[in-house]
Amino acid sequence: MSLGTEATTGHRFALVDVNNFYVSCERVFDPRLADRPVVVLSNNDGCVVARSAEAKELGIKTGTPWFQLAPEAERMNLVARSSNYELYGDMSARVMEVIGRFGAWQEVYSIDESFLGLPAAAEPAFAATARAVREAVRRLVGVPVCVGVAPSKTLAKFANHIAKHNGHLDGVCSLGSLPAADLERLAARLPVTEVWGVGARTGEKLAGQGIQSVADLAAADPARIRKKFSVNLQRTVLELRGTACIAPIDERADAHQIMFSRSFSTPVDTVAAMADVMTVYAQAAASRLSARGLQTAVVTAFAGTSRFAAGEASNPSVSVPLPEPTDDPIAIVRAAVAGLEARLVPGVRYVRAGVVLSGLTRAGAARQGEFDLFGTPDDDGAPAAGRDAQAAANLGSLLGDVKARFGQASIGLGAGGVQVPADWSMKRQYSSPKYTTEWKDLPVAKA
DNA sequence: TCTGGGGTCCTAGGACCC
DNA sequence: TCTGGGGTCCTAGGACCC
């Protein structure tokens, strides 16, 4: 059994992704970064999250802490950038819009990847479309993409991998146009963990069953795989054989949870400081919630000590059910602060914390036809509880409006309204400007 | 001294009900 | 009162992805 490329008719899936996305975004606005080793760092300038090809050649791995690289950076001619998510988010929207022009349908899969539906056509047409996508994104946005085309999403991912690692293909690979012998050789050589959906753990387990390569997995018995592993891995086997069976991500139905979590630049070891953290993080989560028109029923607050610290680990976590679904930032902040305070171990140095909102529903959905029996009427006869809920909703959107107009630090509850950053707040020493989302950062061209 | 953040899905197991 | 089977719902934890 070989990979499912016998199918020569029918539609195709293209997987388009941006090469080294964060680095490529930085390079669009700073040509000095071209041809140099560049890394983009995680929040707090903690570790490497994106690398240019030159940085990969130097042997720098994803996840390498920056403090280990910094002393050698100059010698290696290495440049670091703090992550600039406003820039990447905006560039992503531009890239996705251009990609979408070329397909019958589009499924944006992540900040830098999109599936694209290509209607049935003769084989050479697929590669031609793929090249056109690559050209258009390069010309209109300025970042390089690779494109893989195949009869299923999993195979499109595989084709994309081939496009990326074989220079002579020029960033484009339609699996059906590859000579069969080449394809078999690649599938037999590539480890099974290169397959989309097969991680290190599953890879180990598969090895125990004698399944090592992509070709081995494609040849495995789907029913047996389902029994020994999961329905997901069974689908993967079918997809490798050319049967598309991974459903679209439900048109991005509403999110099931919203999380805001960060590591601190300096550990937090007092209850008062953690209360400030929770105040700020809970507001950040609440503003994402109202921006999406959702309400939450459960607020979870957590904190944690460093994985790398000696001594006892402490990972307190509380889930606080709310009396009714809400997007009221005050209620959410209160739940997070009160919930976590009770569980902190005094004197322990926490390095990260977060707030998760779950049990999400569309704002107003639960309220339809609901009548508050116990709310006491106030002056205008409306039940007080209803009025409070209305006031809370207004507050949420008011905060959002003010922030949109005057900036994130312009207004907030408690510690959230403070302009001077707390000493635990994020460190971004090497940040580039928000070229595309702030008027004051707009690049100036000189002719 | 300094080591990311934000998600999804599946499964197993317990509680509960009929 | 006891027993067993079958179903649903919920949650925690694992695995994976980018």
Side-chain angles (χ1 to χ4, degrees):
Chain A
M1 190 73 205
S2 66
L3 267 62
T5 54
E6 295 84 4
T8 50
T9 58
H11 67 276
R12 291 288 188 275
F13 296 81
L15 189 271
V16 187
D17 75 349
V18 182
N19 305 344
N20 317 323
F21 180 54
Y22 298 167
V23 170
S24 297
C25 289
E26 298 288 344
R27 280 177 168 168
V28 168
F29 297 96
D30 190 348
R32 290 170 302 179
L33 301 181
D35 306 317
R36 277 186 79 172
V38 180
V39 293
V40 173
L41 305 175
S42 63
N43 287 330
N44 286 317
D45 299 335
C47 64
V48 172
V49 292
R51 308 159 294 157
S52 72
E54 298 79 6
K56 290 174 188 171
E57 274 166 28
L58 287 174
I60 297 169
K61 303 275 182 250
T62 298
T64 307
W66 174 241
F67 71 84
Q68 289 176 2
L69 292 171
E72 298 296 309
E74 198 169 333
R75 185 184 59 75
M76 295 190 292
N77 193 28
L78 176 66
V79 189
R81 286 278 186 270
S82 302
S83 38
N84 182 348
Y85 288 104
E86 281 198 53
L87 176 66
Y88 312 147
D90 184 69
M91 294 294 279
S92 172
R94 293 165 194 249
V95 169
M96 296 310 165
E97 189 276 322
V98 173
I99 293 172
R101 299 178 193 177
F102 292 85
W105 49 262
Q106 179 182 26
E107 189 184 332
V108 176
Y109 179 70
S110 74
I111 194 165
D112 73 331
E113 290 181 39
S114 178
F115 288 106
L116 198 62
L118 306 183
E123 181 57 43
F126 297 132
T129 303
R131 280 191 295 271
V133 171
R134 188 171 145 88
E135 278 307 307
V137 176
R138 168 60 96 185
R139 187 164 49 83
L140 298 173
V141 188
V143 295
V145 300
C146 281
V147 187
V149 181
S152 71
K153 288 182 179 175
T154 304
L155 285 173
K157 279 268 199 182
F158 182 64
N160 182 282
H161 182 274
I162 294 172
K164 202 161 284 165
H165 292 90
N166 295 272
H168 69 280
L169 294 176
D170 208 19
V172 166
C173 172
S174 178
L175 222 50
S177 62
L178 223 55
D182 289 4
L183 189 58
E184 266 175 44
R185 187 173 42 79
L186 284 165
R189 203 186 55 196
L190 284 171
V192 71
T193 47
E194 292 294 335
V195 173
W196 186 40
V198 182
R201 300 305 280 271
T202 306
E204 276 172 34
K205 250 182 106 182
L206 282 168
Q209 314 269 321
I211 296 172
Q212 314 257 14
S213 68
V214 177
D216 291 342
L217 187 59
D221 172 18
R224 207 176 108 90
I225 291 290
R226 163 138 197 185
K227 214 166 145 198
K228 295 241 174 201
F229 294 86
S230 69
V231 62
N232 279 338
L233 197 60
Q234 180 188 35
R235 290 199 183 109
T236 299
V237 173
L238 295 173
E239 286 245 327
L240 284 175
R241 296 177 176 200
T243 303
C245 53
I246 293 180
I249 320 167
D250 235 2
E251 300 314 323
R252 294 282 161 171
D254 290 338
H256 296 144
Q257 57 170 240
I258 288 174
M259 166 155 46
F260 188 93
S261 84
R262 290 284 183 276
S263 294
F264 311 135
S265 56
T266 311
V268 163
D269 58 4
T270 68
V271 171
M274 189 60 87
D276 283 351
V277 169
M278 281 296 122
T279 302
V280 174
Y281 288 14
Q283 279 178 80
S287 73
R288 286 183 192 173
L289 186 74
S290 29
R292 298 188 199 184
L294 298 172
Q295 295 184 323
T296 180
V298 180
V299 177
T300 301
F302 65 88
T305 47
S306 170
R307 303 198 308 277
F308 305 96
E312 205 170 324
S314 169
N315 294 285
S317 167
V318 247
S319 289
V320 184
L322 301 172
E324 59 176 341
T326 183
D327 59 0
D328 172 13
I330 295 177
I332 294 169
V333 165
R334 275 194 190 135
V337 171
L340 195 61
E341 262 181 4
R343 318 234 167 177
L344 292 176
V345 182
V348 163
R349 292 157 58 86
Y350 292 99
V351 300
R352 53 187 280 274
V355 173
V356 182
L357 307 180
S358 53
L360 306 185
T361 47
R362 291 226 71 83
R367 207 165 289 286
Q368 298 252 318
E370 179 184 297
F371 183 71
D372 184 359
L373 279 177
F374 304 102
T376 36
D378 65 338
D379 293 343
D380 57 7
R387 196 218 17 217
D388 286 354
Q390 188 56 47
N394 290 345
L395 176 62
S397 61
L398 174 72
L399 291 177
D401 291 348
V402 172
K403 283 179 182 176
R405 182 145 175 205
F406 298 105
Q408 282 299 316
S410 59
I411 191 170
L413 308 169
V418 177
Q419 294 273 355
V420 181
D423 55 7
W424 45 264
S425 72
M426 209 158 72
K427 192 169 74 183
R428 293 212 304 195
Q429 207 181 330
Y430 314 103
S431 191
S432 51
K434 296 163 187 167
Y435 296 108
T436 60
T437 54
E438 285 280 348
W439 286 112
K440 68 176 174 54
D441 290 349
L442 199 65
V444 176
K446 298 191 173 115

